[in-house]
Amino acid sequence: MELDTDIIIIGAGMSGLGLAVQLVRQYGHRSFELIEKADNIGGTWLANTYPGCGVDVVAHYYSYSFALNPNWSRKYPLQPEILEYFNNVAAKYKIHEHARFNTIVESARWESSTGTWLVNIKNLKTSKTYRRRCKILVSAVGILSKPNGCDIQGASSFQGDIFHTAEWDHSFDWKEKELVVIGNGCSASQAVPVLSEGDGAVKKVTQFARQAQWVFERPNPEYSGFFKKIMKWVPFAMRAYRAMWNYYAEVDFLSFPTIEGAGMRKMYADYQGAYIRRISPTKYHEFLVPKTEVGCKRRVMDTDYLDCLNRDNVELIHSDPIDKIVEHGVRTKSGRFVKADAIILANGFQVLKPLLTLNLIGEGGISVAEHWDKFSDGSASSYFGTCLSGFPNFFIMMGPNTASGHGSVTYVTECQINFTLRVIKPILNALKAQRSALPVLGRKADVVRVKPDAEKADIEDVHEKLKSLVWSSGCSSWALDPVSGRNTTMYPDFQYRYWLRSIFVRWKDFEFTKSGTYDEGRSKKPFKVGSWLVASTSVAAAAVWLYQASSGKAIW
């Protein structure tokens, strides 16, 4: 069966890019395509361009292990620098030429008779659809790719602009405008300080928040030229610096067990609670210091957010929520009217939806939603956050229960990439064997399936461990499925244990087979005279080279 490409990767963000690069670096394999809805590589760092957008993990720890960067400007860089980093990595390995921008996957179906995926793709600019056949399909759409909308009554009547931080309208000039910001998570805490400072500041920003967040102190020093030179020229300096932050992150996981981590969480609560009280206005203290356990919700790193609450043009409303949106602002439950020229949504993402929007159909005509109904009460789940039984040759980057509350998302992504590369190696061997006249060493099978029992056991193990961790202590969180209450997002262990599983693959959990077309292709492929000539000439040349080298004679 003729393939259009060996591998289709859906998404060109951090995980999709990382997989593409590692296919080139480790296997020298370039028969792949990246299907990307945006017009460039970058994923969340291309989409999120709101004021103040930056990373909350130390840059040297956030970067790829195979593409370390000694020139980070500061400890926690802003979005333009991070996007530039990913584009530089893509350019180095010539990944752009494999990308199909402004395109989306509308659906994909597994064809058992050929052992291939038939993928329906739509060009967003021309609205034309076309089909591509591939052997391996990878979802790298991520969990922060689909912003939540505005479901507040009256939104359609608003005369100003309404947009999400992940869809920032750069044509909007906020100077001397009155803004309403809905939400108080990471993006809101980064944007509000920038919007409210300096000569170009808003006239007023009114922020609505429902629940308090643990805001952690986070200095953000610039790196000196001397430090950058050490990172660049001293052997293993960058590796050591990265390892240090990895160690600190792993130690932090000790605070997550509900019982054993109580002492550590109290230490955090005492210190960060005092920090919140010291920096923020007294009138907000009762709300700003959370009553929930540290770590139960995602922590917010302070980017001058607490201090900006002291400004005259910033107001935080936490006890009088929005009742409805009206033509020129919002009206609260108490009847108060808050004028707004624009409403900024900082209300998170649909973390459960991206995979479902791909409309994947596996063996027996089963959809992903039907699979989840059977395996996890309708909630998102998977084997190792990466595989679904009944969906052969399909892999998920940043799938269910892979996010970490203490480490770097890049670390997890690389673990999944390395795991996937190991599992698909027999498939790549099989494809190579079909195309090569020379023998190909190693296992060869063009279809791989995770066994249903293995998937079920892995899901149950993850959720059993989650029961004893802080996310199950009673707070509401985006990590929890609102219907089933299951934690579909967080990984319940140290990250190094996830890494170990990516190295020591449980091969007994997988079934490798050969499709009918693969067997037919091998049996009917003629071994042509030209192939014999190339092979024999190569062997003869190698023999002459070895003889001359051993005899000390000049080599050509």
Side-chain angles (χ1 to χ4, degrees), residues 428-499:
L428 299 183
N429 285 343
L431 292 173
K432 188 175 181 181
Q434 285 184 301
R435 298 162 182 167
S436 173
L438 299 176
V440 175
L441 300 179
R443 176 191 285 180
K444 291 175 281 294
D446 68 334
V447 177
V448 60
R449 300 173 177 84
V450 65
K451 298 176 182 177
D453 290 346
E455 181 186 5
K456 190 74 172 177
D458 191 61
I459 294 170
E460 291 175 354
D461 179 62
V462 165
H463 285 276
E464 186 61 32
K465 290 178 179 177
L466 283 167
K467 292 178 182 178
S468 62
L469 299 179
V470 68
W471 301 299
S472 300
S473 62
C475 71
S476 61
S477 166
W478 60 274
L480 304 179
D481 186 316
V483 177
S484 68
R486 292 169 67 105
N487 188 326
T488 60
T489 309
M490 312 308 294
Y491 180 69
D493 213 331
F494 292 97
Q495 285 195 321
Y496 83 87
R497 289 179 176 163
Y498 195 79
W499 170 72

Side-chain angles (χ1 to χ4, degrees), residues 193-423:
V194 178
L195 294 170
S196 60
E197 70 176 349
D199 295 335
V202 298
K203 180 179 181 181
K204 185 175 183 181
V205 56
T206 305
Q207 181 185 20
F208 285 87
R210 293 185 300 178
Q211 295 180 320
Q213 313 278 354
W214 277 107
V215 180
F216 274 44
E217 183 179 12
R218 194 214 67 176
N220 191 14
E222 292 186 1
Y223 288 130
S224 66
F226 179 68
F227 177 85
K228 294 176 187 178
K229 288 179 180 178
I230 290 177
M231 292 293 103
K232 184 174 183 178
W233 297 112
V234 176
F236 305 111
M238 270 197 296
R239 296 285 176 192
Y241 188 64
R242 177 186 173 92
M244 178 184 74
W245 286 106
N246 179 220
Y247 171 77
Y248 290 155
E250 291 288 61
V251 169
D252 191 30
F253 182 75
L254 295 173
S255 69
F256 284 82
T258 306
I259 298 175
E260 295 88 344
M264 195 169 181
R265 290 198 304 277
K266 184 179 185 307
M267 177 187 70
Y268 285 157
D270 290 344
Y271 181 86
Q272 302 302 340
Y275 171 73
I276 293 171
R277 293 185 183 91
R278 184 172 74 252
I279 303 299
S280 65
T282 304
K283 61 182 178 180
Y284 297 137
H285 286 179
E286 182 63 27
F287 170 74
L288 285 174
V289 180
K291 308 301 186 294
T292 56
E293 294 278 354
V294 174
C296 188
K297 297 170 66 71
R298 183 181 178 185
R299 303 166 189 176
V300 173
M301 301 301 165
D302 191 19
T303 54
D304 296 326
Y305 169 69
L306 294 175
D307 188 47
C308 87
L309 294 176
N310 291 288
R311 297 171 186 163
D312 293 336
N313 63 343
V314 178
E315 180 183 5
L316 174 63
I317 298 179
H318 54 84
S319 58
D320 189 15
I322 296 173
D323 180 52
K324 62 181 177 180
I325 296 174
V326 293
E327 287 188 357
H328 300 292
V330 301
R331 195 169 299 282
T332 69
K333 293 287 186 182
S334 69
R336 176 186 171 184
F337 170 72
V338 178
K339 185 178 182 299
D341 295 299
I343 297 174
I344 313 300
L345 305 176
N347 57 343
F349 296 82
Q350 300 178 36
V351 297
L352 304 179
K353 296 294 178 67
L355 194 58
L356 295 180
T357 61
L358 300 180
N359 298 311
L360 305 179
I361 302 298
E363 292 181 302
I366 299 297
S367 69
V368 173
E370 290 169 331
H371 178 84
W372 285 344
D373 286 340
K374 180 179 178 181
F375 277 78
S376 49
D377 301 324
S379 298
S381 63
S382 60
Y383 175 91
F384 195 59
T386 311
C387 303
L388 300 174
S389 59
F391 291 78
N393 295 11
F394 173 66
F395 301 87
I396 312 165
M397 299 292 106
M398 288 310 299
N401 295 109
T402 56
S404 166
H406 65 287
S408 168
V409 65
T410 320
Y411 184 103
V412 175
T413 296
E414 284 200 58
C415 290
Q416 287 190 287
I417 290 171
N418 291 332
F419 172 84
T420 300
L421 290 178
R422 286 180 171 87
V423 174

